């Protein structure tokens, strides 16, 4: 039997810079107390702060809950593969 992975649209909710919920998350690339890097439906999302923790992770539903002090939210790219990106850049020079 095949497992179905439900892809939800990307949504980000931040409450008082102390906790947040994200949907549309495809993967957690890396995380530590100062930085969390998520791969979302809308690109890579870098979360910077202090005492950051991934409280709940459900990749089947594409949901992540975080807690800690959030200082910065940055979308890095819509592309998921840097090699593919550089290949396209080379093709269109």
């Amino acid at each position: 039997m095949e497992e179905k992975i439900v892809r939800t649209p990307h949504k980000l909710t931040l409450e008082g810079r102390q906790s947040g919920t994200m949907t549309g998350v495809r993967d957690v690339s890396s995380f530590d107390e100062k930085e969390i890097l998520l791969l979302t439906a809308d690109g890579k999302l870098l979360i910077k702060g202090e005492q950051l923790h991934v409280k709940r992770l459900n990749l089947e539903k594409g949901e992540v809950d975080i807690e800690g002090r959030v200082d910065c939210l940055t979308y890095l790219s819509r592309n998921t593969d840097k090699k593919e990106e550089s290949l396209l850049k080379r093709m269109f020079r």
Side-chain angles (χ1 to χ4, degrees), residues 60-91:
E60 289 178 0
K61 292 184 179 180
E63 299 174 345
V64 173
D65 292 344
I66 64 163
E67 61 183 4
R69 190 185 85 216
V70 176
D71 293 330
C72 178
L73 298 165
T74 306
Y75 286 93
L76 300 175
S77 168
R78 284 187 149 274
N79 298 324
T80 59
D81 189 3
K82 287 186 179 182
K83 290 180 183 178
E84 182 178 308
E85 182 178 300
S86 60
L87 175 64
L88 289 173
K89 284 182 179 180
R90 283 186 266 145
M91 288 176 59

Side-chain angles (χ1 to χ4, degrees), residues 1-6 59-60:
M1 181 178 256
E2 287 184 33
E3 288 184 37
K4 286 190 176 182
I5 296 177
V6 178
L59 290 178
E60 289 178 0

Side-chain angles (χ1 to χ4, degrees), residues 17-44:
R17 291 180 61 178
Q18 295 299 315
S19 65
T21 301
M22 288 114 222
T23 62
V25 175
R26 295 182 178 162
D27 197 10
V28 177
S29 296
S30 65
F31 66 93
D32 60 30
E33 288 189 350
K34 295 186 183 265
E35 211 173 81
I36 300 172
L37 181 61
L38 303 173
L39 177 59
T40 73
D42 288 338
K44 294 176 184 174

